[in-house]
Amino acid sequence: MKLAPSILSADFGKLRAEAREVEPLAEYFHIDVMDGHFVPNLTIGPPVVNSLRNGLNKPFDIHLMIDYPMQYAPRFSMTSADMITFHLESKDEPFRVIEEIRRLGCRVGISLRPITPIAAIFPYLDLVDLVLVMSVEPGFGGQAFMPEAVERIEKLKHEIGDRDVMISVDGGINDKNIRLVVDAGAELIVAGSAIFKHADRIAAMHTLIAAAQ
Ligand code: DX5
Ligand code: ZN
């Protein structure tokens, strides 16, 4: 498994310094972009995300919790190592969004709310690099893990079969439940509070990695 620290739980006043601290053990930086419509919270957008690049080397995993991914995805400067993940429940047509993100030259992820049946994602599995299974209702860090996510990950893993699609999980992950999601098939583990709410972030990441074994 690999970790994607969610900087939503970091101090927004010193984002780059916070990101640098977790970079040694991060596969991606997980960056939550919220528009106040798709979810009842507002975070950061393209100008902040793009300027965060300087001095960071690990790729970005941009989690778009916004109604109109078609409009905003092109405003992020992306490389082939980065990923943009959008929500199936956004107001844009998913096949078009996938095409648009591909056009930007980065990897494509698709996500779904806990309430959306996992099978709703199946028609897109041939076209995406990653599926992000939400284990909380999107919008805020620090919420409790929804255990139903484990079975959803198992079903998804089975449906993916031998396709080259990675499963990621996001929401409420800690050292008590990380093993469950990893055993179910999740490979890229997003964690916000479980990393940034600790004074020693690297130690917290080591704790998560050890708990996943
Ligand atoms: C929630 C975000 C998550 C959030 C996770 O809508 O998508 O990435 O930051 O934070 P924790 O790990 O604290 O649940
Ligand atoms: Zn997220």
Side-chain angles (χ1 to χ4, degrees):
M1 51 73 74
K2 308 280 186 201
L3 288 175
S6 172
I7 61 168
L8 182 64
S9 300
D11 180 344
F12 271 19
K14 46 173 178 159
L15 268 186
R16 189 180 294 124
E18 297 272 272
R20 277 182 108 123
E21 208 178 319
V22 298
E23 186 158 39
L25 292 176
E27 183 76 2
Y28 287 91
F29 293 110
H30 183 89
I31 302 175
D32 292 302
V33 172
M34 306 186 189
D35 65 355
H37 293 275
F38 184 80
V39 289
N41 194 8
L42 268 173
T43 55
I44 54 174
V48 175
V49 175
N50 293 341
S51 67
L52 199 54
R53 291 281 185 183
N54 304 329
L56 295 177
N57 297 305
K58 292 288 173 72
F60 284 12
D61 164 23
I62 301 178
H63 179 190
L64 296 180
M65 283 160 277
I66 66 176
D67 274 344
Y68 297 105
M70 290 292 283
Q71 186 179 345
Y72 293 100
R75 302 191 190 183
F76 293 96
S77 28
M78 304 302 283
T79 75
S80 58
D82 300 308
M83 179 147 54
I84 294 182
T85 298
F86 73 101
H87 269 262
L88 181 64
E89 306 90 349
S90 79
K91 294 194 191 296
D92 291 328
E93 205 288 309
F95 286 111
R96 288 189 62 215
V97 181
I98 292 169
E99 208 173 290
E100 177 65 7
I101 298 173
R102 283 263 173 251
R103 195 183 63 78
L104 303 174
C106 63
R107 309 186 83 201
V108 182
I110 189 165
S111 186
L112 72 179
R113 295 180 184 276
I115 199 174
T116 304
I118 193 72
I121 219 92
F122 295 171
Y124 308 98
L125 291 179
D126 285 330
L127 300 169
V128 298
D129 300 299
L130 172 137
V131 177
L132 178 64
V133 176
M134 292 306 300
S135 41
V136 296
E137 180 59 27
F140 300 91
Q143 303 181 77
F145 176 76
M146 298 169 75
E148 309 89 276
V150 174
E151 202 187 321
R152 286 160 67 79
I153 293 168
E154 283 167 355
K155 282 190 187 155
L156 175 62
K157 170 94 178 156
H158 182 259
E159 186 68 22
I160 287 173
D162 54 18
R163 292 178 179 98
D164 189 15
V165 177
M166 188 160 49
I167 300 177
S168 185
V169 61
D170 183 8
I173 299 296
N174 58 35
D175 57 340
K176 306 289 183 298
N177 55 32
I178 191 167
R179 175 90 189 268
L180 286 173
V181 294
V182 168
D183 284 352
E187 292 167 85
L188 185 67
I189 313 299
V190 178
S193 326
I195 295 173
F196 286 102
K197 296 302 171 204
H198 293 269
D200 186 341
R201 281 73 187 267
I202 290 291
M205 292 171 90
H206 278 302
T207 301
L208 288 172
I209 293 165
Q213 308 305 310

